[in-house]
Amino acid sequence: MIDVDQGAMARLYEQAVAENPGDLILRKLAGRFLLATGRAAGAERQFQVLADADPTHAQALLLLGEAAYAGGNYRVARERFDTFIRRSPDRADALSRIAGIYLREGEHALALDYAEQAHALRPDRLSILKLLSRAQLAAGQAEAAYQTLWQVASRRPDDPRVRRELATASLQRGDFSQAAANARACLKQRPEDTQARLCLAMALSQLQQTESALSQYEQLLEKRPVDPAAEQQFLNFLRSTGRDKQAFDWCRDRVGEEQTQEAKDLRVPLAELVLLQSLSRDRSVYDLSLIHISEPTRLGMISYAVFCL
């Protein structure tokens, strides 16, 4: 494979365009190269010239959408893809881009709608099957996502990310053995995958394999920054298995050790408020004056409650 100096190539394209400003085919080629090499702003400038030269040029609008998407300007990208779809409603690539943007924005019903439209046009395209499964999971359609993911897995049996998504879908549909098996398959290739490890911990907890679940949570929470979802699930796990004091101590230490927003958010979740009530039988054990809030002579639990608020 030839090793190409991408920077040098980009400069050559820019020079060629400067010498031939009216060559729209050259601009399109230059824009595609810039887009493929992560130069979204430069690509957008070239594609904008195409669009200005012919406002009815649907392909230019699609390329402008791709440039905005690559540059992280998702609102503009969605507007451009929407306009393109009105002109060319049979383009699965634009529909799938819109679905992906809606997923990012948390608009799960809209994401699923566009993903289903893309899938109807290109039912065998692997990238669209993956997108459809993600949209189904986000929309709470665990069974449909599970079936879609098995179609993907039949073509990519060794893809750890597919195994992770299968673990998530299995967890949602209550098949905890399958969730654990797929999470382990992912972690075998990607031991750093926090989502798969969280799925494994949650599945093991549901299977009453408490010590194994605890071990997975502990491995997960060693990483920094800590995933807030993992923290909350860990607290839920500790409380559900009767480890209230461990949950309280861990939460206290976590808030004290870091000043990140995620750590601060641990002050107020409902799980902790319930935890305070469950621990109120033995207030004197938990003296939190070290956090320097409220009066140090107050009972520890009262001090902690003031700290949380």
Side-chain angles (χ1 to χ4, degrees), residues 55-77:
T56 65
H57 196 308
Q59 183 70 15
L61 192 59
L62 178 64
L63 291 170
L64 277 170
E66 292 288 357
Y69 187 91
N73 196 344
Y74 301 116
R75 181 186 60 80
V76 171

Side-chain angles (χ1 to χ4, degrees), residues 187 190-199 220 223 227:
L187 290 167
R190 290 172 54 86
E192 75 285 357
D193 195 309
T194 56
Q195 184 182 338
R197 195 166 298 282
L198 178 57
C199 281
L220 190 61
K223 297 182 179 297
D227 181 358

Side-chain angles (χ1 to χ4, degrees), residues 2 4 27 47 70-71 99 126 128 141 151-152 166 173 176 201 203 210 213 215 238-239 245 263 268 273 278 294 308:
I2 299 174
V4 177
R27 285 189 179 274
F47 297 147
L126 194 62
I128 291 178
Q141 297 185 11
Q151 294 181 56
V152 178
L166 274 169
R173 67 199 287 264
F176 304 119
T210 307
S215 173
L238 292 176
R239 292 185 54 244
K245 184 181 183 303
V268 292
L273 299 180
S278 70
S294 76
C308 286

